[in-house]
Structures are given as C-alpha cells and as structure tokens.
Amino acid sequence: MVIRNIFSLTCALLLLAACAKSGGEEQVIERAFYSMGSEMEFKLYCPQSAKCTDAVNEAHEEVQRLDYIFSNYRDDSVLAEVHLNAEKGPVKVPREFIELTRRSLEFSELTGGAFDITVGKIFELWKKAGETGNAPTKIEIENALKCVGYKKVNLFPKRGEISLNPACVRLDYGAIGKGYAVDKAVGILKKFGIRRGIVNFGGNIYALGPPPGKDGWVIGIKDPLDSSESMIEIIVREQGVATSGDYERFFEIEGKRYSHIIDPRTGVPSTGVKSSTVVSGDAATADALATAFSVLHESESISSLKRIEKLMPLDVFIIRGDSEDGGKFLSDGFKELVYYRDGH
Ligand code: AMP
Ligand code: MG
C-alpha cells in the first residue's frame, strides 16, 4: 500500500523546515521515525510546527514503550518475560498487554480462529524452514499445533495477569501490534489538538481529518503481482486501513514460496489470497482483520464479513490467486470508497 504524495523523496527528516508548506492557516509537517522494524510516517496539519514536533516525539516514546512490551525480537520485552515464566503460573503484565491480548482473543472468536496470536510456535517452525530450506515434517507441525490455539490463553484483568496453558504457547503480536501502535500514536496527536493528517506504519494506516478543502486522503492499494503499481485508489477519513499479503514477506522452501501468514487451524501457510485490504474504524482492527481475511477460504470470508460487519465498520477488498474470474472481491462498502480521478 502506498500513500500518494505523503512524502516527497527530497523530504528527509533533516529537511523538515523546508518541507513545511503553508496549508492555509495550518502548516503541513512531515515526520518519520523508526521502530518495530518499520518506519512510522506522519503527514500532519498543524497551526504551529512545534506542536506537531512535540506530538510526534511523544508518539515516538509511546511506540518504543509498546515495542518493549510486545516485541518478540528482544530478550528484555514483557512478552519474553511472559514466555519465560509461563511454566510457573499466571504472570503479571502491564495494562496494555491485557488490553491488546483481550482484543486479539475477540478477533479470534470473530474469525473462527483464522486470526490467532498463539500462532508463535508454528510460525517459528516455518520461519526456521525458510532459513534451512527444508519444509517441516507432519510430526513437527502436529507437535507445534499442540502449543497453538487462542483458547489456551487465560486473562485475569482484575489481577492484571495472563496464563498460558500449556506453557509452550508462544504469543506473536505481529499481525495486530503495528495497527495498535498507530492507534496509540493517533490518540497522542488528538491530545495535542491535531485533527488533520495521516499516519502510516509499514502499511498500517490511520487517516485523521482530510487536508483543508478535501473530502479525504487518497490511498493507493498495490497490485500484488506488481507492487510498484497501485491497482486502485480509495479515499478515507477517520478510518484505519491495512493490507496483508504474501507478496512482500514470505518464506522460500525447496524452491517454493510460502506466505508468512499461517492458518492456525492447520499449521500450514495460507494459500489462495494474494492480498486483502480492510478499512475499519481503527488501525488495530484493520490490521487484525486484514490478516484474518488472508487466511479465510472464499466461502468462510463471505460469512465472516456478514457476521463482523454487523458489529463494527468493515470494508474489505480481497484478491484471490486461485479464482477463475481474476479473483477480486470488493464488499459493497469498499466499492463506495474507490476514488475515481475523472469523477466516475
Ligand atoms: P500481517 O502482516 O499484519 O498480516 O501479520 C503477519 C504476521 O503475524 C506474521 O509475520 C506472523 O508474525 C503473524 N501471524 C502469522 N499468521 C497469523 C495468524 N493467522 N494470526 C495472527 N498472526 C499471524
Ligand atoms: Mg495484520
């Protein structure tokens, strides 16, 4: 996914002053920082640039704090501590850990287990296979699946504790954490009174209010077969947007490409969906559901869509590689977001 015009190539962080353009009473400020393995990019409308700078600095601190909580790359994260101590019983965790885990478990319920943060053990197995080049055996998959399943996680919100049963369960927030971080950053921007802007964190987007005089932010959705091209454009405001797909991150095993999104129900990388884009009310929901729609089979995705859209805003665009009709599915709500430059 690309945001059109969000950053001109010449607009590096050091050239900020030069990049601040006048937008009526407000200035357009473009900023970025690196965290969680991706760049978080901001395009904001601010009455004074100092306010945007302070807001982005606070957002940076917050995202670093979330990384320290949820990272599965750091030995000193709260997540690492949970895994280390799971054997001994419930582990005390910060409020955000309970919050994001609770939401993740709800998304598992809503998607019939297609989205599942307990995918860690099986994900590690496929990741290792990608490194060695040898596919996991059936037995290895069966063994890893014993440590997978969202019902194996118990939360005790009042005590601020989590338990994993069995203790071999490995949590992985990779499919929701960036979206969640975007929402937290947006909360900080709003606290600073920033109402217009857009945030992009590795393809997890939240669009605040639109630029002055515009109806929304135009976002291009990449063609999974040629990711240098935008396939369609949509226009959004006060919405979260995310795309999941197998075209950017994948494992290569015995000459074959496998998706980095695993079907937790079978323990095998998902097949069929080339890309799925979700627009919802917040970025964490869009992130989680875009991953889920990459797993769900065609008939399952229609029934899930119908069920979930009764509960929350949900517009989806799915491209299947295994369909005879070119495989593009746009929900009715998504069709209304499509942006036609010539007005049609
Ligand atoms: P995303 O790019 O948001 O679709 O997230 C993909 C990442 O989430 C993977 O790299 C894994 O770390 C993790 N993951 C893989 N499959 C699943 C799944 N079915 N449910 C939840 N997380 C998953
Ligand atoms: Mg996701």
Side-chain angles (χ1 to χ4, degrees):
M1 185 182 309
V2 287
I3 301 178
R4 296 189 69 85
N5 302 330
I6 185 165
F7 285 109
S8 64
L9 283 173
T10 50
C11 183
L13 206 55
L14 291 173
L15 295 173
L16 263 187
C19 293
K21 291 182 273 177
S22 172
E25 302 217 331
E26 294 175 309
Q27 290 181 311
V28 187
I29 298 293
E30 295 178 351
R31 275 263 160 150
F33 59 74
Y34 191 81
S35 189
M36 298 185 178
S38 289
E39 198 130 54
M40 190 179 259
E41 302 171 303
F42 297 80
K43 182 167 185 170
L44 306 172
Y45 284 82
C46 270
Q48 308 108 15
S49 65
K51 190 176 249 196
C52 273
T53 304
D54 290 350
V56 171
N57 285 344
E58 195 172 315
H60 189 184
E61 271 173 38
E62 175 65 0
V63 176
Q64 295 287 69
R65 196 178 67 83
L66 294 174
D67 185 42
Y68 162 70
I69 296 175
F70 294 107
S71 173
N72 51 7
Y73 290 96
R74 312 170 52 139
D75 297 339
D76 60 347
S77 66
V78 171
L79 178 61
E81 203 177 307
V82 168
H83 290 155
L84 195 67
N85 295 313
E87 195 92 42
K88 299 177 207 151
V91 184
K92 197 137 187 94
V93 286
R95 191 175 44 81
E96 291 82 359
F97 203 98
I98 299 281
E99 183 190 25
L100 188 57
T101 308
R102 183 185 52 74
R103 287 188 67 188
S104 297
L105 300 179
E106 283 168 10
F107 286 123
S108 296
E109 284 284 350
L110 281 174
T111 60
F115 174 87
D116 192 335
I117 53 166
T118 68
V119 80
K121 203 81 178 177
I122 192 85
F123 182 77
E124 283 303 318
L125 189 65
W126 284 96
K127 191 172 156 209
K128 205 179 97 210
E131 284 154 13
T132 61
N134 300 317
T137 64
K138 215 169 151 226
I139 307 252
E140 283 175 318
I141 293 173
E142 274 168 20
N143 282 338
L145 280 178
K146 289 178 189 151
C147 311
V148 175
Y150 66 96
K151 293 193 172 141
K152 298 181 168 108
V153 180
N154 285 303
L155 289 176
F156 307 96
K158 282 194 186 134
R159 298 191 333 241
E161 290 177 349
I162 183 170
S163 75
L164 307 176
N165 303 299
C168 63
V169 169
R170 290 292 171 266
L171 304 175
D172 177 340
Y173 293 86
I176 190 170
K178 286 203 180 78
Y180 182 70
V182 167
D183 291 334
K184 292 288 181 192
V186 166
I188 290 168
L189 300 177
K190 288 186 175 163
K191 191 185 80 183
F192 275 82
I194 298 163
R195 294 282 172 266
R196 299 177 187 277
I198 191 158
V199 183
N200 176 20
F201 196 18
N204 294 285
I205 290 172
Y206 188 85
L208 291 103
K214 304 277 184 203
D215 292 334
W217 291 92
V218 178
I219 295 174
I221 296 166
K222 282 180 187 172
D223 181 344
L225 298 178
D226 177 4
S227 58
S228 63
E229 290 288 320
S230 275
M231 194 170 33
I232 59 169
E233 291 178 322
I234 55 172
I235 183 160
V236 290
R237 58 190 289 176
E238 318 284 356
Q239 283 158 309
V241 187
T243 296
S244 276
D246 63 1
Y247 54 95
E248 265 170 355
R249 291 179 58 207
F250 50 85
F251 308 122
E252 200 154 328
I253 305 163
E254 292 161 7
K256 203 175 151 198
R257 268 171 69 153
Y258 291 88
S259 172
H260 70 119
I261 298 168
I262 316 285
D263 187 336
R265 305 165 300 180
T266 59
V268 174
S270 78
T271 51
V273 175
K274 301 251 54 79
S275 136
S276 84
T277 299
V278 167
V279 180
S280 191
D282 61 74
T285 302
D287 191 359
L289 292 180
T291 305
F293 280 103
S294 286
V295 171
L296 291 165
H297 300 188
E298 198 158 2
S299 58
E300 292 175 313
S301 60
I302 305 291
S303 55
S304 291
L305 169 68
K306 289 200 172 121
R307 199 171 56 249
I308 302 169
E309 69 183 358
K310 287 192 188 125
L311 306 171
M312 59 189 77
L314 176 62
D315 302 318
V316 300
F317 174 37
I318 301 169
I319 304 169
R320 292 191 174 271
D322 57 359
S323 220
E324 284 169 9
D325 58 352
K328 292 193 186 114
F329 171 80
L330 290 81
S331 69
D332 290 342
F334 201 94
K335 286 178 194 157
E336 286 170 24
L337 300 174
V338 176
Y339 179 68
Y340 299 98
R341 289 195 171 257
D342 58 3
H344 298 292

